[in-house]
Amino acid sequence: MDQRIKLRIEYLRANLKYLNDVELAEYNRLTGQHLTHQQQHQQHTHQQVQETYQADQAYQSQQAYDQASNFDLQNSSDGFNKHHKSRPFKKPKNKKKRKKVGFWKKLRRFLLLVLVLMIGFFIYGYHRGKSRAPEGLQTEKFTGQKTPSGATNILILGTDQRDFQTTGDARSDSIMVMQVNAKDNKVKLVSFMRDTLVYQPGVSQYGADTKINVAYNIGEQDNHQGAEYMREVLKKNFDIDIQYYALVNFNSFATVIDSLYPMGVKIDAKFSTIDGQVVKSVDVPDDLNWTPEHQDPIQTIKVGTQRMDGRTLLNYARFRKDDEGDFGRTKRQQQVMQAIMSGVKSPLTLFTGSSALGTIKGVTSTNVSDFFMLTHAPGLALDAAKGIESYTVPENGDWVEALDQYGGSGLLIDFDKYQAKLKNLLG
């Protein structure tokens, strides 16, 4: 019989119960039977019973074989089992199935990996920025004092030093105390007008008779202790505790700005009137390009919102020839500082932000540690992005014109009044 016919018969027989009229007729024709549908059902039932019986017989035969095998093993004539107990049959242990890792656990692992990579890139960028430190940059002696409130005060001195000058030739062009880590999470900035007359230990002869910006220069001439001597003067006159310092000169300021803001700092340039006239632009000294041979470089800055690179921002912050004089310059310096700080919206930017942070550390003479920079700078930037609370000593017009001990014009203020104000502001 043809193999295909055999396979067809086997298939029909296996599905006998479910055959329709056509398939039943085909089965009868191939097998020579004359089954009806009723007989078809009976034969299928008989077939199932027979298959069940055969399966039962096979199972009983296997059981009998297993029992006989065990009996033979226990009564083996070689005597081995007389001295050795047979080991009990152990079912093979099921292999433990690996637990499936849940979605949230996978997500946590992924986020942890991303965090580790971010920290690594951040630290790499920071040290890459630090490598830009100029030769000869040193950290000065500074006897920092912590504040009773736990906040951190940082003395920021912007000096008018140029690359070809020594620190002994420089004066503090801007004097600021920035407070961070306060309990109210606010960044506060106090600026001191450079012509304010103060008492300077070992220098003043008639009380408050020396301009405050001279303190840095005097200290630098005493074995490079300009920042330390300024700290002593501020403590003596205003009772401010300062823990850290940072010195920024012309070049380091421009370098920091261009690193932080490759596209420039967005700022609304403002000037007071000049000789009573409103101005749309101002020609300002181009301090970064000043040389002994070219002492009067000029840059024109327009009034209004614009983006400034480091050089332009420096020239804008130092201008004081409008009708507000040094008070106007102090306001612009505060405006520049606010624009710089509040503009850093993403302090954890892996390359630009961390590299710029390292550049600040690298080109600035400061006793702020790497650990403090890495752990506090991101939070400081986030706090500053909410706005900086600024204050100027003295307030506009709140002074008396007086002469310093050298016969120069200065600003005489009420120290008790400003000590109380600063106590309330800085704690």
Side-chain angles (χ1 to χ4, degrees), residues 130 132-140 161 167 245 247-249 252 358-366:
K130 274 186 66 178
R132 302 179 63 178
E135 293 184 8
L137 185 68
Q138 297 179 349
T139 301
E140 296 191 355
Q161 179 189 354
T167 54
Y245 84 93
L247 296 178
V248 183
N249 63 22
S252 59
T359 300
I360 294 173
K361 184 67 166 66
V363 303
T364 305
S365 173
T366 179

mmCIF file of all heavy atoms in Angstrom, residues 130 132-140 161 167 245 247-249 252 358-366:
data_model
loop_
_atom_site.group_PDB
_atom_site.id
_atom_site.type_symbol
_atom_site.label_atom_id
_atom_site.label_comp_id
_atom_site.label_asym_id
_atom_site.label_seq_id
_atom_site.Cartn_x
_atom_site.Cartn_y
_atom_site.Cartn_z
ATOM 1 N N LYS A 130 41.332 73.443 35.657
ATOM 2 C CA LYS A 130 42.390 73.880 36.576
ATOM 3 C C LYS A 130 43.764 73.907 35.911
ATOM 4 O O LYS A 130 44.653 74.640 36.333
ATOM 5 C CB LYS A 130 42.455 72.937 37.786
ATOM 6 C CG LYS A 130 41.511 73.298 38.908
ATOM 7 C CD LYS A 130 41.742 72.412 40.110
ATOM 8 C CE LYS A 130 43.115 72.659 40.707
ATOM 9 N NZ LYS A 130 43.362 71.840 41.904
ATOM 10 N N ARG A 132 44.663 75.249 33.416
ATOM 11 C CA ARG A 132 44.929 76.527 32.762
ATOM 12 C C ARG A 132 45.565 77.545 33.708
ATOM 13 O O ARG A 132 45.763 78.698 33.358
ATOM 14 C CB ARG A 132 43.632 77.110 32.204
ATOM 15 C CG ARG A 132 42.928 76.197 31.213
ATOM 16 C CD ARG A 132 41.642 76.801 30.691
ATOM 17 N NE ARG A 132 41.883 78.029 29.945
ATOM 18 C CZ ARG A 132 40.925 78.738 29.355
ATOM 19 N NH1 ARG A 132 39.674 78.336 29.430
ATOM 20 N NH2 ARG A 132 41.202 79.841 28.688
ATOM 21 N N ALA A 133 45.893 77.134 34.890
ATOM 22 C CA ALA A 133 46.465 78.063 35.881
ATOM 23 C C ALA A 133 47.769 78.674 35.361
ATOM 24 O O ALA A 133 48.634 77.961 34.856
ATOM 25 C CB ALA A 133 46.729 77.319 37.192
ATOM 26 N N PRO A 134 47.926 79.983 35.467
ATOM 27 C CA PRO A 134 49.170 80.636 35.016
ATOM 28 C C PRO A 134 50.325 80.322 35.955
ATOM 29 O O PRO A 134 50.122 79.987 37.130
ATOM 30 C CB PRO A 134 48.810 82.124 35.055
ATOM 31 C CG PRO A 134 47.734 82.232 36.085
ATOM 32 C CD PRO A 134 46.947 80.952 35.987
ATOM 33 N N GLU A 135 51.526 80.447 35.449
ATOM 34 C CA GLU A 135 52.699 80.197 36.278
ATOM 35 C C GLU A 135 52.834 81.277 37.352
ATOM 36 O O GLU A 135 52.541 82.444 37.124
ATOM 37 C CB GLU A 135 53.958 80.181 35.403
ATOM 38 C CG GLU A 135 54.030 79.015 34.437
ATOM 39 C CD GLU A 135 55.336 78.993 33.672
ATOM 40 O OE1 GLU A 135 56.223 79.804 34.015
ATOM 41 O OE2 GLU A 135 55.456 78.188 32.733
ATOM 42 N N GLY A 136 53.277 80.845 38.518
ATOM 43 C CA GLY A 136 53.539 81.799 39.590
ATOM 44 C C GLY A 136 52.338 82.140 40.457
ATOM 45 O O GLY A 136 52.476 82.872 41.440
ATOM 46 N N LEU A 137 51.144 81.605 40.116
ATOM 47 C CA LEU A 137 49.960 81.909 40.927
ATOM 48 C C LEU A 137 50.077 81.211 42.277
ATOM 49 O O LEU A 137 50.311 80.001 42.339
ATOM 50 C CB LEU A 137 48.695 81.456 40.199
ATOM 51 C CG LEU A 137 47.369 81.821 40.865
ATOM 52 C CD1 LEU A 137 47.168 83.333 40.812
ATOM 53 C CD2 LEU A 137 46.211 81.110 40.179
ATOM 54 N N GLN A 138 49.905 81.961 43.349
ATOM 55 C CA GLN A 138 50.076 81.412 44.687
ATOM 56 C C GLN A 138 48.845 81.670 45.548
ATOM 57 O O GLN A 138 48.092 82.614 45.310
ATOM 58 C CB GLN A 138 51.307 82.028 45.361
ATOM 59 C CG GLN A 138 52.613 81.734 44.664
ATOM 60 C CD GLN A 138 53.796 82.391 45.352
ATOM 61 O OE1 GLN A 138 53.620 83.236 46.243
ATOM 62 N NE2 GLN A 138 55.008 82.022 44.954
ATOM 63 N N THR A 139 48.684 80.814 46.532
ATOM 64 C CA THR A 139 47.641 81.024 47.536
ATOM 65 C C THR A 139 48.236 81.818 48.686
ATOM 66 O O THR A 139 49.269 81.446 49.248
ATOM 67 C CB THR A 139 47.104 79.678 48.058
ATOM 68 O OG1 THR A 139 46.573 78.931 46.962
ATOM 69 C CG2 THR A 139 46.017 79.895 49.101
ATOM 70 N N GLU A 140 47.589 82.917 49.015
ATOM 71 C CA GLU A 140 48.125 83.779 50.064
ATOM 72 C C GLU A 140 47.724 83.284 51.451
ATOM 73 O O GLU A 140 46.763 82.529 51.605
ATOM 74 C CB GLU A 140 47.618 85.218 49.863
ATOM 75 C CG GLU A 140 48.095 85.865 48.573
ATOM 76 C CD GLU A 140 47.796 87.354 48.532
ATOM 77 O OE1 GLU A 140 47.140 87.851 49.474
ATOM 78 O OE2 GLU A 140 48.221 88.016 47.573
ATOM 79 N N GLN A 161 45.400 94.868 38.648
ATOM 80 C CA GLN A 161 46.703 94.366 38.218
ATOM 81 C C GLN A 161 46.652 93.876 36.776
ATOM 82 O O GLN A 161 45.701 93.213 36.354
ATOM 83 C CB GLN A 161 47.151 93.209 39.129
ATOM 84 C CG GLN A 161 48.488 92.603 38.735
ATOM 85 C CD GLN A 161 48.769 91.339 39.520
ATOM 86 O OE1 GLN A 161 48.022 90.982 40.431
ATOM 87 N NE2 GLN A 161 49.844 90.662 39.180
ATOM 88 N N THR A 167 51.807 92.148 42.169
ATOM 89 C CA THR A 167 50.672 92.417 43.060
ATOM 90 C C THR A 167 50.915 93.639 43.923
ATOM 91 O O THR A 167 49.970 94.290 44.381
ATOM 92 C CB THR A 167 50.394 91.195 43.959
ATOM 93 O OG1 THR A 167 51.603 90.839 44.636
ATOM 94 C CG2 THR A 167 49.923 90.014 43.139
ATOM 95 N N TYR A 245 38.840 83.751 50.677
ATOM 96 C CA TYR A 245 39.098 84.911 49.832
ATOM 97 C C TYR A 245 39.294 84.444 48.389
ATOM 98 O O TYR A 245 39.607 83.274 48.117
ATOM 99 C CB TYR A 245 40.343 85.669 50.302
ATOM 100 C CG TYR A 245 41.641 85.095 49.762
ATOM 101 C CD1 TYR A 245 42.216 85.597 48.584
ATOM 102 C CD2 TYR A 245 42.277 84.028 50.403
ATOM 103 C CE1 TYR A 245 43.392 85.052 48.072
ATOM 104 C CE2 TYR A 245 43.439 83.491 49.899
ATOM 105 C CZ TYR A 245 43.992 84.000 48.725
ATOM 106 O OH TYR A 245 45.140 83.456 48.216
ATOM 107 N N LEU A 247 41.072 86.370 44.741
ATOM 108 C CA LEU A 247 41.631 87.530 44.053
ATOM 109 C C LEU A 247 41.450 87.360 42.549
ATOM 110 O O LEU A 247 41.855 86.338 41.982
ATOM 111 C CB LEU A 247 43.124 87.679 44.362
ATOM 112 C CG LEU A 247 43.519 87.961 45.814
ATOM 113 C CD1 LEU A 247 45.038 88.015 45.925
ATOM 114 C CD2 LEU A 247 42.913 89.270 46.279
ATOM 115 N N VAL A 248 40.853 88.359 41.909
ATOM 116 C CA VAL A 248 40.617 88.296 40.473
ATOM 117 C C VAL A 248 41.216 89.544 39.835
ATOM 118 O O VAL A 248 40.824 90.663 40.175
ATOM 119 C CB VAL A 248 39.106 88.230 40.156
ATOM 120 C CG1 VAL A 248 38.883 88.083 38.655
ATOM 121 C CG2 VAL A 248 38.451 87.072 40.897
ATOM 122 N N ASN A 249 42.161 89.358 38.900
ATOM 123 C CA ASN A 249 42.706 90.514 38.191
ATOM 124 C C ASN A 249 42.068 90.633 36.813
ATOM 125 O O ASN A 249 41.147 89.890 36.465
ATOM 126 C CB ASN A 249 44.239 90.435 38.104
ATOM 127 C CG ASN A 249 44.722 89.228 37.305
ATOM 128 O OD1 ASN A 249 44.000 88.674 36.486
ATOM 129 N ND2 ASN A 249 45.956 88.829 37.552
ATOM 130 N N SER A 252 42.393 87.272 34.593
ATOM 131 C CA SER A 252 41.671 86.119 35.134
ATOM 132 C C SER A 252 40.162 86.335 35.051
ATOM 133 O O SER A 252 39.405 85.395 34.795
ATOM 134 C CB SER A 252 42.093 85.853 36.585
ATOM 135 O OG SER A 252 41.835 86.967 37.415
ATOM 136 N N GLY A 358 36.575 74.716 37.104
ATOM 137 C CA GLY A 358 37.996 74.443 37.294
ATOM 138 C C GLY A 358 38.854 75.618 36.864
ATOM 139 O O GLY A 358 39.879 75.915 37.485
ATOM 140 N N THR A 359 38.436 76.303 35.784
ATOM 141 C CA THR A 359 39.179 77.475 35.322
ATOM 142 C C THR A 359 39.156 78.579 36.369
ATOM 143 O O THR A 359 40.174 79.242 36.616
ATOM 144 C CB THR A 359 38.585 77.997 33.997
ATOM 145 O OG1 THR A 359 38.659 76.965 33.008
ATOM 146 C CG2 THR A 359 39.335 79.222 33.505
ATOM 147 N N ILE A 360 37.998 78.792 36.988
ATOM 148 C CA ILE A 360 37.899 79.789 38.067
ATOM 149 C C ILE A 360 38.906 79.476 39.166
ATOM 150 O O ILE A 360 39.630 80.346 39.643
ATOM 151 C CB ILE A 360 36.473 79.816 38.647
ATOM 152 C CG1 ILE A 360 35.473 80.312 37.591
ATOM 153 C CG2 ILE A 360 36.404 80.694 39.884
ATOM 154 C CD1 ILE A 360 34.034 80.205 38.021
ATOM 155 N N LYS A 361 38.946 78.207 39.553
ATOM 156 C CA LYS A 361 39.883 77.793 40.601
ATOM 157 C C LYS A 361 41.328 77.934 40.130
ATOM 158 O O LYS A 361 42.221 78.325 40.884
ATOM 159 C CB LYS A 361 39.605 76.336 40.999
ATOM 160 C CG LYS A 361 40.450 75.819 42.151
ATOM 161 C CD LYS A 361 40.091 76.521 43.450
ATOM 162 C CE LYS A 361 40.675 75.798 44.661
ATOM 163 N NZ LYS A 361 42.135 75.829 44.702
ATOM 164 N N GLY A 362 41.548 77.622 38.840
ATOM 165 C CA GLY A 362 42.911 77.621 38.327
ATOM 166 C C GLY A 362 43.514 79.004 38.177
ATOM 167 O O GLY A 362 44.694 79.199 38.460
ATOM 168 N N VAL A 363 42.730 79.976 37.721
ATOM 169 C CA VAL A 363 43.295 81.301 37.430
ATOM 170 C C VAL A 363 43.093 82.290 38.572
ATOM 171 O O VAL A 363 43.457 83.458 38.455
ATOM 172 C CB VAL A 363 42.674 81.886 36.138
ATOM 173 C CG1 VAL A 363 42.887 80.953 34.971
ATOM 174 C CG2 VAL A 363 41.176 82.181 36.318
ATOM 175 N N THR A 364 42.522 81.830 39.673
ATOM 176 C CA THR A 364 42.227 82.719 40.797
ATOM 177 C C THR A 364 43.071 82.349 42.002
ATOM 178 O O THR A 364 43.140 81.174 42.381
ATOM 179 C CB THR A 364 40.736 82.631 41.171
ATOM 180 O OG1 THR A 364 39.946 82.909 40.017
ATOM 181 C CG2 THR A 364 40.388 83.614 42.272
ATOM 182 N N SER A 365 43.688 83.329 42.628
ATOM 183 C CA SER A 365 44.364 83.099 43.899
ATOM 184 C C SER A 365 43.292 83.023 44.978
ATOM 185 O O SER A 365 42.589 84.002 45.249
ATOM 186 C CB SER A 365 45.347 84.238 44.203
ATOM 187 O OG SER A 365 45.881 84.085 45.508
ATOM 188 N N THR A 366 43.129 81.848 45.579
ATOM 189 C CA THR A 366 42.058 81.648 46.559
ATOM 190 C C THR A 366 42.412 80.516 47.500
ATOM 191 O O THR A 366 43.190 79.613 47.148
ATOM 192 C CB THR A 366 40.727 81.322 45.856
ATOM 193 O OG1 THR A 366 39.704 81.116 46.834
ATOM 194 C CG2 THR A 366 40.843 80.087 44.982
#
